[in-house]
Amino acid sequence: MKWVLGFVLLGSLHLASGKLSLVLKSPEAGPVLEGQSITLECLSDEDEDMSAYTFEKYAKYMDSWFAVDGSTRFRCWYYDVNVSRSAGRLQLQIPEVQSWNNGPFRCVQNNGTEQDSVSNSLSVPVHYLRDVSLFKDTSFYSRYSEQLKVLTVAPGGAVEVECSATASENPQYSWSREGDDWVELSNKLKIQKVREEDAGTYTCTVQHPSVPSLSKTRTLQLLVVPEAESRLVLPQLNLILMAGIPALVLVLVIVSLAVYLSRRRTSLKGPIDDRSMKKPIYRSSVESVSSTVGDSQPLV
């Protein structure tokens, strides 16, 4: 009860001070989720007409504030921020808020010099949970290649698959197996000395710690086959394709370039002129030429 009275007292003192305030108008209750529409409003207990005020956003890497409803060079960075001035009210709307454009914002009085002409800064906490990824190890290929969907293991082998997701808060992980009540509260699925009965469908569930509605899953099919059949599994095949296709493209480019240069060299030489070829010429031939030297050998 005391904290309620204290909150009311502070609110009364705030109204009496005449300072600006920036509040989250919508959503009115509940956490703000990524992609949701939010509305901020600038309020003043002294001025009903807010036409003399404007919104500003803080640029972290430039360490400065700039207006988001003016024609500035930074406006293109926040093209999805809409400022409305209707019936003397000043509101800022972000149709699809993201974690990178959630603030901080503030409202200021144009040409204001006193401290009361600047409101409090406000950053809206945005909650999110991104896609879930499964990978066998920490290698670059495993993390950034195609999602791991099927894993083939020989009997007696070991399985270690990591489940990962990016969230606004550290998420909670759990592994379960289809048709079984087995649950592992970890982001890693570990099975030592795999048996044939370990084959099946495993699901990783990722849960946001403070927003129950944010939950995602990813499934993995575990196949247990003899070692001879599991030597070339899907990840290795993908790796061969990823290495072979660029090599093949490079060979084709080299061959095409060699053919092009060969044809270009031939075209620069020009066609062969048969008339320029030298032929034997005799005195009695039709193609003989006048000569002052008597000889019986062909002129070459």
Side-chain angles (χ1 to χ4, degrees):
M1 188 65 181
K2 290 182 179 180
W3 68 269
V4 176
L5 294 176
F7 179 79
V8 173
L9 181 59
L10 288 175
S12 301
L13 291 175
H14 172 72
L15 291 176
S17 65
K19 292 183 179 180
L20 291 171
S21 61
L22 181 60
V23 297
L24 178 63
K25 197 68 176 178
S26 67
E28 297 180 355
V32 177
L33 305 183
E34 191 174 54
Q36 191 174 3
S37 176
I38 66 171
T39 301
L40 307 180
E41 185 169 4
C42 184
L43 301 175
S44 173
D45 57 320
E46 292 183 350
D47 296 331
E48 296 183 358
D49 186 3
M50 303 298 294
S51 59
Y53 298 85
T54 185
F55 280 106
E56 289 185 347
K57 188 182 187 304
Y58 180 72
K60 177 181 178 181
Y61 297 103
M62 303 191 66
D63 193 22
S64 61
W65 293 86
F66 64 92
V68 298
D69 56 343
S71 56
T72 66
R73 61 182 181 277
F74 302 108
R75 186 65 177 90
C76 61
W77 294 357
Y78 303 98
Y79 60 90
D80 54 349
V81 175
N82 302 320
V83 177
S84 63
R85 302 175 182 272
S86 178
R89 302 175 64 182
L90 178 60
Q91 293 183 333
L92 182 145
Q93 182 187 28
I94 305 179
E96 296 182 0
V97 67
Q98 304 294 323
S99 58
W100 55 268
N101 66 349
N102 63 331
F105 294 97
R106 72 179 184 181
C107 57
V108 299
Q109 185 179 12
N110 296 333
N111 302 323
T113 57
E114 300 180 0
Q115 185 177 1
D116 295 347
S117 63
V118 180
S119 75
N120 59 296
S121 62
L122 176 63
S123 295
V124 180
V126 178
H127 297 282
Y128 60 89
L129 177 62
R130 307 282 165 74
D131 291 338
V132 181
S133 300
L134 300 179
F135 49 89
K136 292 195 303 180
D137 48 52
T138 58
S139 65
F140 177 85
Y141 166 76
S142 179
R143 284 182 176 270
Y144 299 100
S145 63
E146 185 180 356
Q147 286 292 329
L148 181 63
K149 298 179 182 179
V150 180
L151 180 61
T152 305
V153 184
V159 171
E160 182 173 345
V161 178
E162 184 174 348
C163 182
S164 177
T166 305
S168 54
E169 300 177 22
N170 292 331
Q172 299 170 350
Y173 298 91
S174 64
W175 282 92
S176 60
R177 180 182 175 185
E178 184 178 346
D180 197 346
D181 57 357
W182 170 84
V183 176
E184 178 71 21
L185 299 179
S186 173
N187 68 323
K188 291 186 177 181
L189 173 65
K190 295 182 179 181
I191 304 177
Q192 301 294 337
K193 296 182 179 180
V194 177
R195 302 168 300 175
E196 293 185 0
E197 51 266 31
D198 292 326
T201 301
Y202 293 81
T203 301
C204 175
T205 302
V206 184
Q207 177 68 55
H208 194 282
S210 59
V211 184
S213 61
L214 291 180
S215 178
K216 292 188 176 182
T217 61
R218 178 75 67 176
T219 59
L220 170 69
Q221 185 72 26
L222 179 62
L223 303 178
V224 181
V225 298
E227 185 176 0
E229 299 180 13
S230 62
R231 288 179 180 176
L232 187 62
V233 294
L234 186 59
Q236 284 80 356
L237 182 59
N238 288 339
L239 182 60
I240 293 174
L241 292 177
M242 289 182 65
I245 292 178
L248 179 60
V249 172
L250 181 61
V251 171
L252 292 177
V253 170
I254 294 175
V255 172
S256 301
L257 184 60
V259 172
Y260 169 77
L261 293 177
S262 176
R263 291 182 177 180
R264 181 177 178 81
R265 189 180 298 109
T266 303
S267 62
L268 291 177
K269 289 182 177 180
I272 300 176
D273 188 3
D274 293 338
R275 294 175 299 176
S276 63
M277 297 180 63
K278 296 180 180 181
K279 300 179 181 180
I281 301 175
Y282 297 90
R283 288 181 178 276
S284 58
S285 67
V286 179
E287 298 179 0
S288 62
V289 294
S290 301
S291 174
T292 57
V293 180
D295 56 6
S296 60
Q297 298 297 327
L299 299 178
V300 295

